[in-house]
Amino acid sequence: MEILVCVKQVPDTTEVKIDPKTNTLIRQGVPSIVNPFDKNAVEAAIQLKEKHGGKVTVISMGPPQAKDALKECLAMGADEAALISDRAFGGSDTLATSYTLAAGIRKLGKFDVIICGKQAIDGDTAQVGPEIAEYLDISQITYVAKVEVNGDTVRVEREHEEGYEIIETQTPVLLTVVKSINEPRFPTVKGTMKANRKEIPVITVNDVDVDPDRLGLKGSPTQVLRIFTPLQRKQGELIQADSARESVTVLIRKLSEAKIV
């Protein structure tokens, strides 16, 4: 079984910085981590490999420093990795990102199952995974909490607000997984040493068949007009009285004076 996992290196949430000129995230020099949901995706892929055999390949799009994220995934147990990196891809929104990733996936070959985390913690859009499936013209199932594979059939439990849906489809398929699907394993010392020796190939704009007008900022229809810090809300008033009835009376009086009721 050929399994591909899309991972993203995201800024540490306590260190997010925005370029005031381009309104895009500043990644150079900012502490970064592997997107937590993507670790669940890597773990799901490794578990499928352990059960059914095959190979796990991880792919990421980003600056050269994103190789650190890929090496962490290799240390967890992934077999191969590839980085899509070129200045032409800089500033991509979800549409341009998914277009580029789909091109990179075609470059790598055919896969039975592609797994993504349900969303990235920096953008929280949950759009890239489904958009990749659309560009590749394959089936997709989002918010997967459990996955089973039997030959060419993939059976999953899809999590939603009211419970779970049981869905079956045929490979190739793209899945986005939720946090509850598993507990990601820690990289081993042996795995880390092996990952550090692994050469990670870089896919540039010259290596893929793409339309230059659909890449980076130029190919991103999403435009950020303004970024600002919301004003801090004033704290409410704590009503203290001798009884609940008296507290309610005081509350009603204050609401009436404010012409709320």
Side-chain angles (χ1 to χ4, degrees):
M1 177 184 295
E2 295 289 334
I3 309 169
L4 178 82
V5 185
C6 297
V7 302
K8 184 179 183 181
Q9 187 183 56
V10 297
D12 191 311
T13 52
T14 61
E15 296 288 344
V16 172
K17 297 179 181 178
I18 304 294
D19 187 325
K21 293 183 179 179
T22 62
N23 286 330
T24 59
L25 289 173
I26 298 174
R27 300 185 184 276
Q28 294 293 337
V30 178
S32 299
I33 58 174
V34 178
N35 181 50
F37 292 110
D38 295 346
K39 283 189 176 182
N40 295 109
V42 174
E43 178 63 28
I46 294 172
Q47 289 183 12
L48 286 175
K49 182 188 74 169
E50 291 173 343
K51 187 174 182 179
H52 302 284
K55 183 175 71 174
V56 174
T57 301
V58 289
I59 187 172
S60 184
M61 172 181 159
Q65 70 189 53
K67 282 187 177 182
D68 294 337
L70 292 172
K71 287 186 177 182
E72 184 173 347
C73 297
L74 290 169
M76 289 175 64
D79 301 293
E80 301 291 339
L83 175 65
I84 301 176
S85 184
D86 197 294
R87 288 195 174 275
F89 307 141
S92 297
D93 67 357
T94 58
L95 193 65
T97 295
S98 57
Y99 175 73
T100 306
L101 281 168
I105 292 170
R106 291 192 195 95
K107 174 72 175 178
L108 292 177
K110 293 184 178 180
F111 294 88
D112 300 300
V113 180
I114 299 174
I115 308 179
C116 307
K118 74 166 187 174
Q119 64 194 59
I121 61 171
D122 56 353
D124 282 329
T125 64
Q127 295 174 349
V128 172
E131 287 173 352
I132 291 173
E134 288 296 313
Y135 279 122
L136 295 176
D137 194 24
I138 62 175
S139 301
Q140 58 172 290
I141 307 176
T142 56
Y143 301 102
V144 173
K146 184 178 180 181
V147 57
E148 297 176 353
V149 177
N150 183 11
D152 294 334
T153 302
V154 177
R155 180 184 176 92
V156 309
E157 289 186 7
R158 183 178 186 271
E159 182 180 88
H160 59 85
E161 293 84 352
E162 299 179 357
Y164 295 90
E165 297 173 331
I166 307 299
I167 302 176
E168 282 189 357
T169 189
Q170 302 297 307
T171 59
V173 62
L174 183 144
L175 311 175
T176 71
V177 300
V178 296
K179 189 174 181 61
S180 60
I181 192 171
N182 55 44
E183 186 67 33
R185 67 192 68 189
F186 290 103
T188 63
V189 174
K190 183 178 179 180
T192 300
M193 294 175 64
K194 184 178 179 180
N196 287 334
R197 293 193 299 267
K198 191 83 171 180
E199 188 67 30
I200 298 177
V202 177
I203 300 173
T204 69
V205 69
N206 296 322
D207 300 319
V208 288
D209 183 15
V210 291
D211 179 354
D213 291 334
R214 301 176 70 179
L215 304 175
L217 280 173
K218 187 177 182 180
S220 300
T222 305
Q223 300 296 323
V224 180
L225 299 179
R226 184 166 64 101
I227 295 177
F228 64 94
T229 301
L231 295 175
Q232 186 174 2
R233 293 182 178 181
K234 294 182 180 179
Q235 294 182 349
E237 178 183 351
L238 180 63
I239 298 176
Q240 294 180 331
D242 294 334
S243 65
R245 181 180 294 274
E246 187 176 348
S247 296
V248 172
T249 301
V250 173
L251 175 59
I252 293 175
R253 176 172 55 81
K254 288 183 175 292
L255 291 175
S256 298
E257 291 174 353
K259 297 182 179 181
I260 295 177
V261 297

